[in-house]
Amino acid sequence: DVVMTQTPVSLSVSLGGQTSISCRSSQSLVHSDGNTYLYWYLQKPGQSPQLLIYKVSNRFSGVPDRFSGSGSGTDFTLKISRVEPEDLGVYYCYQGTHYPWTFGGGTKLELK
Amino acid sequence: QVTLKESGPGILQPSQTLSLTCSFSGFSLSTYGMCVGWIRQSSGKGLEWLANIWWNDDKYYNPSLKNRLTISKDTSNNQAFLKITNMDTADTATYYCARPDYWGQGVMVTVSS
């Protein structure tokens, strides 16, 4: 199985501040079709995960441009700028390239 | 507008079979490239992918559940299903039906004697 290692486990950030989350995979996430199926989700308390970024760097519909994804191969980053209260929750990376699909362990974003 | 909604028994006893239904709208599972999957989350813990079914009826399962899983679909009625046999207390979790871009609200399943 592909192991997705997310760091840090928790983050404390000030409103209006900037932060980033790292996700590393145990093998390359480049699919045989040429795409890299790396997703980022935010799970707010009591809610199901919501998609932020798909295929490494594409913002999903309605996601503010404060969120950006980057990376390639095995090393990926989610950056959040101008943090707002609605950004708080647990962030997960997720790979859909290799079966079984696997999630990172999550990063909890809290207010400083 | 894409929506997915899970339904299930809520509570079941150890060794029983869990049957879950995902009712969706806003897309068709007969459309090329479409897939629906099941993911679960134990209380306060992370996410575990369980299975996918694709528009062409290809099915993929998490081998960690050792042949306990069966995924299926009813394209005409816009539904997908998941069965898990031999349920255990360790299978207590919230079960989500999801495309990669949209998730249902989840259904809580408790296994208890």
Side-chain angles (χ1 to χ4, degrees), chain A residues 41 43 48 92 94 99 101 103, chain B residues 41 52 54 96 100 103-104:
Chain A
Y41 294 89
Q43 186 173 31
S48 55
Y92 293 96
Y94 181 34
Y99 279 109
W101 293 4
F103 290 88
Chain B
Q41 184 171 36
N52 278 355
W54 291 84
Y96 296 100
W103 291 48

Side-chain angles (χ1 to χ4, degrees), chain B residues 65-70 83-88 91:
Chain B
L65 275 84
K66 294 176 184 174
N67 302 320
R68 296 171 55 206
L69 302 176
T70 304
K83 288 189 190 298
I84 308 179
T85 59
N86 195 24
M87 291 288 283
D88 182 80
D91 297 310

Side-chain angles (χ1 to χ4, degrees), chain B residues 14-108:
Chain B
S15 80
Q16 288 187 319
T17 294
L18 171 65
S19 294
L20 296 172
T21 298
C22 173
S23 301
F24 54 84
S25 63
F27 68 98
S28 173
L29 244 183
S30 62
T31 300
Y32 177 88
M34 201 62 66
C35 95
V36 167
W38 290 91
I39 294 152
R40 70 181 179 183
Q41 184 171 36
S42 303
S43 178
K45 300 214 177 148
L47 297 156
E48 179 182 28
W49 172 82
L50 300 176
N52 278 355
I53 188 164
W54 291 84
W55 87 99
N56 60 358
D57 213 35
D58 279 352
K59 300 163 188 173
Y60 296 87
Y61 298 103
N62 193 324
S64 70
L65 275 84
K66 294 176 184 174
N67 302 320
R68 296 171 55 206
L69 302 176
T70 304
I71 193 170
S72 60
K73 61 182 172 69
D74 179 348
T75 304
S76 301
N77 289 307
N78 286 341
Q79 291 182 316
F81 310 97
L82 183 71
K83 288 189 190 298
I84 308 179
T85 59
N86 195 24
M87 291 288 283
D88 182 80
T89 55
D91 297 310
T92 293
T94 296
Y95 287 77
Y96 296 100
C97 166
R99 296 181 357 174
D101 50 354
Y102 292 95
W103 291 48
Q105 63 191 19
V107 60
M108 180 67 196

